[in-house]
């Protein structure tokens, strides 16, 4: 059921309409196809024996009892499979970065609790788990590496002997002479900030099903992947199977948030075993495995200091960042992806004349750090926005005014930020104004003052930021990687029945791209949304495509859709011009009909396709041969585009229990030309909810021995409907970005702004510094207690 | 997270169930809302599950004829939450039920199962202590005060089944208060306090701040000096540090919630 | 041998005692609309209706459902004829990845039967046993609110 827009003959505005999603009917009726909904006959199920130790030498593995269990087809250790694939490491040309090998099974050493050591293949998951319990592994402990600061010391136990140090990356961003600027500044504020470790927790756990066709020597991997193209290319190298016989398909995927945007060892393993055993092999993560082994995020320590003049104008900013990157450098993004973004985005949407951000990434015996929604920017925004508020407080300046004085203004674009990022013209100040006007910031301040007089702890927090989205080839998502993330392709085809199919290299997993890309194609081609079938998430359908991550799909795939649809439309008009005997320039297409403007002469896409493909003789041969109702185009936005936003949170803290209740929440953001406001709202809501989780609840905890304490959903606390407030979302469209669709990426933003806005609101309510997130009731209790002492 | 293999028996009578429990690796399966997760995590590996859900006559809420109630062990939480009789006699039970997990868990989870699992952070065991309930089993009747012996440890023998909870009448004009603090809606309590006040005396029970649900007798004795009660309550509990809250914070919450529960009860 | 009626169709199957009801529905009966997210009763993705009440299918063994009536998401409405709750979810964009959605719907069905849902706070409380990571719950609350209002003649 699709909402139709506009009159039959008029050119409808499909881009920008609140079109209901085409994905929904199947997902609402239980007819989606998620990874575990695919059942191939003869499938073997994998369970792992995973390391119980944070950092230990594996001295002996006894699999005899397990192998003898009923229903067990095979038990595999690292040495059993080491000859069956080529090893892989996440390389980068970035200086001062050292790649670590990503083993499939831990061989001589285990480096975090939950690392897979032995795999059992059995007739069912139940039997596989029975056997996994009978695997006996002897370990010799090598000392857990839990604290990244201690791990960076020369005498710390080293996780990767071939690297020789736990510090696997260092980088510095600089502008001007920050030390000089700080030394002479009248106002300085600073603190040690800490953002704790988080995990994406998509509702669907990861899962992989490999199917090897022995006759064709062809492998199909069904994977809950956001990046099937990247996985395909990596597996081609690892398995020595050419890409035309190695296909990676993402079925319906139950959320990712970055956690499914990397190559995982379990997906390599099922491929290796499927080829070895000649049967389909499936591994489905359970929730405990997900919480222990899916790439995690955040976990950054930041020493930061901001200087400004007496009017609040920023003079300088400096920061030292230590990123806890976990046990391995995740493929393909490398361990640089998050820590480096913290320092490259730290200056925020502000004019910062002098800057130095230094970062180091340190391996620890924890699950690897990967790319999670917002990547680095939730942390940089938390720190910078706290510093802005701290400076405002010191100057007795309203936080809103402090931001106005420093934010990049309309006339300053394009603006080169202190870390080198170039912001194109976007509604930085407009977002700040819009959200504070819509929620009546002054009115909120007055009601806050009233509440405070009655002893209530009410606070208001602002958070402004800009992210760089829709990155083209000039600005890679993670610089120096051997993966091109700067282009996407689309293939659009009208078949002999007149139906339109659009193939993409992206992999929608909740973003609704089957709908938004259909809107783009429909508008450009002149058909209805329901006439376009969008196919995605399959490495075999376009020559190159990397997937859905980094707020890129609307910009890149949307751009490729426009280019290909325009190319097909030209062909359609050419054919129609012969059939309708009119000049192509007088012909238009809308709502699935091709017509001569101002006349009643028209033809449907179906009849046009029949004329081209089937009814030989309707078009002269030379005309037919010149018409190709199909086009493939690749779009490269070359640079990226800024997506700015300001969040506003008003909350109340119970002065006795320290429970935080969010009273108001507003977001104003500029994502350029909106394809579907319904979907854009949903992206913001979901992002904010995850940001609220990061601000108040969600935390992966490892103890001193490197044991993970949050391996269940009782202990890893994600917000429910009862903790998330209603939100107001304002979409602004200032100047359209310089890309073909005028789109800006917006999938991650909510998660970037919310932690900072809430931290600022809590600090405002308590008149205390908040330098650590999540601010759990326990931490609030201690924070307030410390002040009262 | 698949459970280990076990045998399964769904007896039609209590006698049959008790006989089956002679196998010392057997466990009773009631609502299963705590037991099944433990099986799925492979924290338990019983040889036999004795499913008592098919035993007739264990799901009821009845007037005991003396102003109190008898509640069958297989009564579901949702029945307690919505029972008119419970609302008349023990409104604190209805009120507390809305803190128990979520609808789907309350639909399936049984009163007897929750009491026998005996999670120190669960609401029902504490409420039984507060309301001076008696636990009728296949062998005897045990006072709630004697029922909880340690964390997840009850006085029940391995082959003993809880069949009925007997709630004696509250004195006329008894006031009540139930205050809970959890991190999220439906989570186990970080701490909860239930209090009744009647005939000039208070009864106070704390949940989640001790190995077992704990009646605060020393604090009760200081009633109606609320400040003294609160101080005594905080001294009486011995909470643990865990992932979600420190002992200090829990002790602090005991004070806050005791004060609030008493204020509601008075 | 157990006999269960699912969405009006009766099935007889031999099952191992430890087989969860969720795995039974999904893998023995092929009703893959019921999703499994945590196997510990927290996430709510596997919520189904058992003898008229919503329950977690991951916390129930298939053997226990012998003789029972079960409703799953497949029983609500079809792709071409969705029921009012499903339609409201689509109209309000109350789902993104769709993985939690079957559980949300089945919880919604039971909440709508049992509670007045007079306020959004009550709806949020009622949904708090169903985790969603995509929507931030806002549109889910709106979708259920719209059905409450329609049922109340609003």
């Amino acid at each position: 059921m699709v909402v139709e827009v506009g009159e039959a003959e008029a050119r409808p505005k499909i881009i920008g309409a609140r079109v209901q999603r085409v994905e929904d009917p199947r997902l609402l009726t239980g007819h989606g196809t998620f990874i575990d909904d695919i059942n191939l006959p003869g499938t073997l199920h994998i369970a792992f024996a995973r390391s119980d130790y944070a950092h230990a030498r594996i001295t002996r593995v006894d699999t005899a009892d397990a192998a003898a269990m009923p229903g067990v087809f095979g038990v595999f250790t690292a040495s059993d499979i080491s000859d069956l694939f080529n090893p892989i490491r996440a390389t980068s040309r970035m200086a001062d970065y050292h790649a670590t090998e990503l083993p499939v099974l831990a061989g001589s050493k285990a480096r975090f609790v939950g690392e897979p050591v032995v795999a059992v293949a059995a007739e069912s998951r139940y039997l596989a788990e029975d056997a996994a319990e009978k695997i006996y592994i002897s370990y010799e402990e090598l000392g857990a590496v839990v604290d990244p600061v201690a791990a960076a010391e020369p005498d710390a136990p080293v996780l990767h002997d071939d690297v020789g140090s736990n510090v696997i990356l260092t980088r510095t961003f600089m502008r001007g002479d920050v030390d000089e600027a700080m030394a002479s500044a009248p106002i300085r504020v600073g603190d040690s900030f800490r953002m704790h470790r988080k995990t994406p927790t998509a509702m669907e756990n990861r899962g992989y099903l490999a199917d090897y066709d022995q006759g064709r020597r062809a492998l199909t991997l069904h994977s809950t992947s956001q990046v099937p193209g990247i996985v395909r290319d990596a597996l081609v190298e690892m398995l020595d199977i050419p890409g035309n016989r190695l296909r990676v398909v993402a079925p319906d995927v139950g959320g990712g948030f970055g956690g499914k945007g990397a190559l995982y060892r379990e997906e390599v393993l099922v491929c290796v075993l499927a080829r070895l055993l000649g049967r389909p092999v499936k591994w489905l993560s359970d929730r405990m495995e997900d919480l222990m082994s899916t790439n995690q995020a955040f976990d950054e320590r930041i020493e930061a200091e901001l200087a400004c003049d007496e009017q609040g104008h920023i003079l300088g900013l400096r920061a030292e960042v230590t990123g806890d990157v976990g046990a391995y450098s995740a493929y393909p993004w490398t361990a640089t992806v998050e820590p480096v973004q913290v320092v490259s985005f730290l200056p925020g949407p502000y004019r910062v004349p002098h800057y130095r951000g230094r970062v180091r990434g340190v391996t620890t015996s924890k699950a690897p750090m990967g790319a999670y929604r917002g990547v680095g920017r939730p942390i940089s925004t938390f720190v910078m926005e706290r510093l802005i508020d701290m400076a405002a407080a010191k100057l007795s300046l309203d936080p809103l005014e402090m931001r106005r004085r420093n934010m990049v203004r309309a006339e300053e674009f394009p603006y080169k930020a202190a870390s080198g990022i170039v912001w194109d013209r976007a509604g930085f100040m407009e977002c700040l104004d819009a959200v504070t006007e819509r929620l009546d910031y002054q009115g909120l301040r007055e009601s806050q003052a009233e509440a405070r007089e009655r002893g209530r702890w009410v606070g208001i927090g602002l958070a402004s930021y800009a992210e760089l989205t829709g990155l083209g080839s000039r600005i890679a998502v993670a610089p120096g990687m051997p993966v091109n993330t700067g282009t996407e392709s689309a293939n659009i085809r009208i078949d002999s029945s007149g139906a339109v199919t659009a193939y993409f290299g992206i992999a929608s997993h909740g973003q609704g791209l089957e709908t938004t890309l259909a809107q783009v194609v429909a508008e450009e081609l002149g058909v209805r949304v329901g006439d376009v079938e969008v196919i995605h998430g399959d490495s075999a359908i376009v020559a190159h495509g990397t997937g859905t991550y980094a707020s890129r799909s609307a910009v890149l795939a949307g751009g490729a859709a426009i280019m290909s649809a325009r190319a097909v439309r030209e062909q359609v008009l050419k054919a129609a011009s012969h059939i309708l005997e009119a000049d192509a320039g007088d012909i238009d297409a809308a709502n699935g009909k091709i017509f001569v403007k101002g006349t009643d002469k028209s033809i449907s896409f179906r009849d046009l396709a029949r004329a081209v493909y089937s009814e030989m003789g309707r078009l002269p041969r030379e005309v037919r041969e010149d018409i190709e109702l199909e086009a493939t185009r690749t779009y490269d936005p070359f640079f990226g585009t800024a997506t700015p936003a300001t969040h506003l949170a008003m909350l109340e803290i119970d002065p006795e229990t320290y429970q935080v209740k969010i009273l108001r929440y507003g977001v104003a953001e500029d994502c350029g030309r909106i394809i579907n406001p319904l979907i854009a709202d949903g992206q913001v809501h979901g992002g904010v909810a995850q940001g609220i989780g990061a601000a108040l609840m969600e935390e992966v905890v490892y103890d001193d021995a490197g044991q993970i304490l949050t391996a269940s959903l009782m202990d890893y606390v994600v917000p429910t409907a009862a903790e998330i407030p209603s939100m107001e979302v304002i979409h602004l469209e200032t100047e359209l970005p310089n890309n073909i669709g005028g789109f800006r990426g917006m999938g991650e933003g909510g998660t970037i702004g919310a932690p900072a806005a809430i931290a600022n609101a809590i600090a405002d309510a308590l008149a205390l510094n908040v330098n650590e997130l999540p601010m759990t009731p326990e931490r609030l209790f201690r924070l307030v207690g410390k002040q009262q002492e | 997270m698949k459970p280990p293999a076990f045998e399964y028996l769904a007896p039609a009578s209590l006698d049959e169930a008790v006989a089956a429990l002679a196998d010392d690796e057997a466990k009773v399966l009631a609502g299963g809302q705590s037991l099944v997760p433990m099986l799925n995590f492979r924290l338990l590996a019983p040889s036999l599950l004795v499913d008592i859900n098919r035993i007739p006559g264990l799901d009821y809420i009845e007037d005991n004829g003396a102003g109190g109630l008898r509640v069958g062990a297989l009564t579901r939480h949702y029945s307690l939450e919505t029972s008119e009789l419970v609302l008349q006699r023990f409104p604190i039970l209805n009120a507390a039920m809305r803190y128990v997990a979520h609808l789907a868990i309350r639909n399936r989870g049984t009163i007897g199962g929750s009491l026998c699992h005996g999670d120190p952070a669960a609401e029902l065991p504490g409420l039984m202590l507060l309301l001076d309930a008696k636990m009728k089993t296949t062998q005897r009747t045990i006072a709630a005060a004697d029922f909880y012996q340690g964390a997840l440890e009850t006085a029940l023998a391995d082959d003993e089944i809880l069949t009925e909870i007997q709630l004696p009448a509250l004195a006329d004009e008894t006031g009540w208060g139930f205050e809970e603090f959890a991190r999220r809606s439906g989570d186990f309590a970080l701490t909860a306090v239930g209090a009744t006040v009647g005939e000039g005396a208070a009864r106070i029970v704390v949940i989640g701040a001790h190995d077992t649900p704990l009646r605060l007798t020393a604090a009760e004795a200081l009633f109606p000096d609320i400040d003294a009660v609160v101080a005594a309550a905080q001294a009486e509990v011995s909470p643990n540090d865990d992932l979600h809250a420190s002992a200090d914070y829990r002790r602090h919450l005991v004070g806050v919630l005791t004060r609030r529960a008493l204020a509601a009860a008075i | 041998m157990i006999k269960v009626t699912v969405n009006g169709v009766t099935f007889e199957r031999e099952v191992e005692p430890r087989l969860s009801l969720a795995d039974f529905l999904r893998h023995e009966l092929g009703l893959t609309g019921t999703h499994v997210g945590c196997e510990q009763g927290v996430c709510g993705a596997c919520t189904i209706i058992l003898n008229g009440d919503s329950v977690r299918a991951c916390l129930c063994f298939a053997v226990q459902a012998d003789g029972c009536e079960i409703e799953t998401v497949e029983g609500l409405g079809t792709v071409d004829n969705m029921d009012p709750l499903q339609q409201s979810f689509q109209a309000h964009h109350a789902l993104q990845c769709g993985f939690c959605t079957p559980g949300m719907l089945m919880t919604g069905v039971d909440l709508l039967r049992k509670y007045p849902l007079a306020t959004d706070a009550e709806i949020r409380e009622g949904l708090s046993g169903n985790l969603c990571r995509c929507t931030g719950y806002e549109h889910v609350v709106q979708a259920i609110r719209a059905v409450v209002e329609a049922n109340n003649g609003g």
Side-chain angles (χ1 to χ4, degrees), chain A residues 46-361:
Chain A
I46 301 293
F48 291 100
R50 292 176 178 269
S51 175
D52 297 321
Y53 290 90
H55 183 204
R57 192 168 311 289
I58 297 167
T59 55
R60 192 167 154 271
V61 179
D62 178 354
T63 61
D65 287 1
M69 294 282 285
V72 172
F73 199 81
V75 182
F76 304 91
T77 64
S79 62
D80 294 330
I81 59 166
S82 62
D83 294 341
L84 303 177
F85 64 92
N86 303 314
I88 196 162
R89 47 179 73 213
T91 58
S92 166
R93 295 189 309 273
M94 193 183 280
D96 301 318
Y97 160 73
H98 307 280
T100 62
E101 187 180 326
L102 186 69
V104 171
L105 294 170
S108 58
K109 218 179 177 190
R111 294 183 177 88
F112 69 97
V113 170
E115 178 166 12
V117 182
V118 184
V120 179
E123 301 290 340
S124 78
R125 174 70 182 226
Y126 288 78
L127 296 172
E129 287 191 25
D130 291 348
E133 278 197 320
K134 304 282 182 203
I135 290 166
Y136 309 103
I137 306 168
S138 306
Y139 296 93
E140 180 189 313
E141 287 191 70
L142 296 169
V145 183
V146 178
D147 176 0
V149 175
E153 296 296 322
D155 58 341
V158 172
L159 282 171
H160 294 275
D161 298 330
D162 56 335
V163 177
S165 163
N166 293 318
V167 180
I168 63 164
L169 74 100
T170 53
R171 197 161 176 203
T172 303
F173 288 80
M174 248 166 36
R175 172 152 95 186
D177 186 343
V178 75
D179 293 329
E180 164 69 28
M182 302 298 280
S184 57
I187 304 289
R188 277 162 61 170
V189 290
D191 207 341
S192 298
F193 296 90
R194 174 90 163 92
M195 182 76 115
H196 288 275
R197 187 168 271 253
K198 190 174 189 298
T199 181
T201 335
M203 290 322 300
E204 180 201 35
N205 293 311
R206 293 185 293 119
Y208 311 110
L209 168 61
D211 186 19
Y212 188 68
D213 179 336
Q214 298 183 70
R216 290 177 52 236
R217 285 174 293 151
L219 182 77
T220 302
L221 172 68
H222 304 270
S223 168
T224 56
S225 184
Q226 301 175 223
V227 290
I230 288 176
V231 172
R232 193 267 313 266
D233 289 358
L235 289 174
V236 161
E237 299 295 326
M238 296 184 82
L239 302 174
D240 291 323
I241 300 175
N244 52 11
R245 286 192 274 114
L246 204 165
R247 181 177 165 205
V248 178
V249 189
D252 284 324
V253 173
F257 319 113
K260 292 172 180 166
L263 175 77
Y264 280 92
R265 46 215 297 174
E266 296 96 343
E267 73 193 319
V268 179
L269 182 96
V270 295
C271 292
V272 166
L273 293 185
R275 182 164 63 168
L276 177 70
L277 304 175
R279 287 175 63 170
V281 175
K282 182 191 260 186
W283 172 74
L284 195 66
S285 171
D286 60 33
R287 185 55 68 184
M288 194 162 38
E289 291 179 295
D290 177 62
L291 292 169
M292 287 194 303
S293 71
T294 294
N295 292 343
Q296 299 176 349
F298 295 2
D299 214 349
E300 307 280 347
R301 291 160 168 80
I302 307 101
E303 306 277 336
E305 200 175 11
L306 180 78
C308 52
D309 68 18
E310 272 135 357
Q311 284 72 48
H313 300 112
I314 295 170
L315 299 173
L317 169 69
R318 65 185 168 200
E320 303 285 335
V321 177
T322 301
D324 179 339
V325 303
Y328 296 94
S329 186
Y331 188 92
W333 312 118
T334 79
T336 67
V337 64
E338 181 154 278
V340 170
Q341 293 236 115
V342 175
V343 280
S344 57
F345 283 88
L346 192 63
Y350 304 111
R351 291 182 300 276
V352 177
H354 299 277
Y355 175 58
R356 185 182 60 235
R358 266 198 297 241
V359 62
R360 58 182 178 165

Side-chain angles (χ1 to χ4, degrees), chain A residues 259-555:
Chain A
K260 292 172 180 166
L263 175 77
Y264 280 92
R265 46 215 297 174
E266 296 96 343
E267 73 193 319
V268 179
L269 182 96
V270 295
C271 292
V272 166
L273 293 185
R275 182 164 63 168
L276 177 70
L277 304 175
R279 287 175 63 170
V281 175
K282 182 191 260 186
W283 172 74
L284 195 66
S285 171
D286 60 33
R287 185 55 68 184
M288 194 162 38
E289 291 179 295
D290 177 62
L291 292 169
M292 287 194 303
S293 71
T294 294
N295 292 343
Q296 299 176 349
F298 295 2
D299 214 349
E300 307 280 347
R301 291 160 168 80
I302 307 101
E303 306 277 336
E305 200 175 11
L306 180 78
C308 52
D309 68 18
E310 272 135 357
Q311 284 72 48
H313 300 112
I314 295 170
L315 299 173
L317 169 69
R318 65 185 168 200
E320 303 285 335
V321 177
T322 301
D324 179 339
V325 303
Y328 296 94
S329 186
Y331 188 92
W333 312 118
T334 79
T336 67
V337 64
E338 181 154 278
V340 170
Q341 293 236 115
V342 175
V343 280
S344 57
F345 283 88
L346 192 63
Y350 304 111
R351 291 182 300 276
V352 177
H354 299 277
Y355 175 58
R356 185 182 60 235
R358 266 198 297 241
V359 62
R360 58 182 178 165
V362 186
T363 53
T364 59
S365 36
K366 301 175 190 169
M369 172 191 282
Y372 165 72
R373 198 175 201 168
V375 193
R377 292 156 298 189
I379 300 115
S380 64
T381 305
F382 161 51
V383 172
M384 187 62 178
E385 292 300 285
R386 282 299 306 127
L387 291 170
I388 293 277
D389 271 24
M390 288 160 72
K394 207 159 180 177
L395 290 158
S396 302
L397 204 60
D398 189 283
L400 174 57
E401 181 55 30
M402 180 76 189
R403 284 174 176 76
R404 286 210 174 109
R405 286 185 190 177
N406 288 288
M407 200 171 276
V408 179
R409 285 187 297 264
E411 66 274 16
E412 294 174 287
F413 294 102
Y415 181 83
K416 189 169 189 181
S419 58
I421 293 169
V422 178
W423 301 123
D424 58 326
R425 165 74 176 111
F428 284 40
M429 199 74 89
E430 289 86 344
C431 288
L432 181 65
D433 290 341
V435 75
T436 49
E437 274 161 33
R438 172 75 69 87
L439 271 72
D440 183 16
Y441 179 75
Q442 291 314 326
L444 294 181
R445 283 287 178 206
E446 283 158 28
S447 67
Q448 177 195 21
E450 251 172 68
R452 293 183 73 106
E453 269 183 29
R454 283 180 281 128
R456 290 168 57 193
W457 294 359
V458 173
I460 297 168
L462 291 169
S464 299
Y465 62 89
E467 52 176 328
L468 201 58
T469 67
L471 301 185
S473 62
R474 182 72 181 78
I475 304 171
V477 170
M481 298 170 318
V483 174
N484 162 32
T485 60
T487 62
E488 270 301 330
S489 302
N491 168 272
I492 298 177
R493 176 193 298 175
I494 300 172
D495 65 25
S496 56
S497 73
V500 180
T501 309
Y503 299 91
F504 292 93
I506 53 85
S508 184
H509 48 283
Q511 295 86 351
L513 288 158
E514 288 175 34
T515 304
T516 46
L517 291 175
Q519 286 178 258
V520 173
V521 173
E523 170 135 349
E524 291 291 340
L525 204 52
V527 297
R528 291 161 299 195
V529 173
D531 295 336
V532 181
E533 190 71 16
V534 169
I535 311 287
H536 61 92
D538 183 342
S539 68
I541 58 177
V542 291
H544 173 263
T546 52
T548 292
Y549 54 89
S551 302
R552 71 192 291 272
S553 292
V555 178

Side-chain angles (χ1 to χ4, degrees), chain A residues 126 129-130 133 286 654 656-659 697 701 709-710 713-715 717-718 722-723 776-778 781, chain B residues 1-5 40-42 181-185 187-188 243-246 248-249 252-253 256-257 260:
Chain A
Y126 288 78
E129 287 191 25
D130 291 348
E133 278 197 320
D286 60 33
D654 184 319
E656 295 182 327
T657 63
Y658 304 101
Q659 182 168 44
M697 310 178 183
V701 181
L709 305 182
T710 47
L713 285 181
M714 295 289 262
D715 292 324
V717 184
V718 304
E723 288 78 45
T776 58
E778 171 71 35
F781 166 72
Chain B
M1 284 181 57
K2 304 300 181 190
N40 289 354
F41 278 112
R42 297 198 177 218
F181 186 76
R183 288 191 67 185
R184 285 179 300 189
S185 166
D187 275 2
F188 277 109
L243 196 58
H244 302 294
S246 64
D248 287 346
Y249 177 47
H252 165 82
L253 285 174
V256 171
L257 300 178
R260 288 183 182 182

Side-chain angles (χ1 to χ4, degrees), chain A residues 621-707:
Chain A
R621 178 181 161 195
E622 62 277 12
V623 172
R624 258 195 291 119
E625 284 178 347
D626 191 36
I627 291 169
E628 196 70 67
L629 297 182
E630 174 170 358
T632 301
R633 293 290 183 275
T634 297
Y635 180 56
D636 177 0
F638 205 57
F639 295 107
T641 183
T643 303
T646 295
H647 291 217
L648 189 162
M650 183 177 191
L651 53 77
E652 178 161 10
I653 302 166
D654 184 319
E656 295 182 327
T657 63
Y658 304 101
Q659 182 168 44
V660 174
K661 186 173 163 57
I662 300 169
L663 306 173
R664 294 290 299 274
Y665 203 97
V667 178
E669 56 100 42
D670 175 6
C671 66
R673 187 175 172 216
I674 294 190
I675 301 172
N676 185 331
L678 203 57
I679 287 177
D681 281 349
Q683 289 293 309
V684 175
H685 295 155
V688 167
Q690 290 191 10
I692 289 171
L696 297 174
M697 310 178 183
E698 292 181 43
E699 181 176 355
V700 175
V701 181
Y702 285 89
D703 71 11
D704 293 343
Q707 293 293 331

Side-chain angles (χ1 to χ4, degrees), chain A residues 548-588:
Chain A
T548 292
Y549 54 89
S551 302
R552 71 192 291 272
S553 292
V555 178
L556 275 81
I562 292 170
M563 290 168 69
S564 332
R566 286 179 184 169
V568 174
R569 180 184 165 87
E570 205 175 292
Q571 300 289 312
V572 167
L573 297 186
K574 194 158 53 176
S577 138
H578 284 275
I579 297 164
L580 301 174
E581 295 172 330
D583 191 82
D586 294 331
I587 300 175
D588 201 355

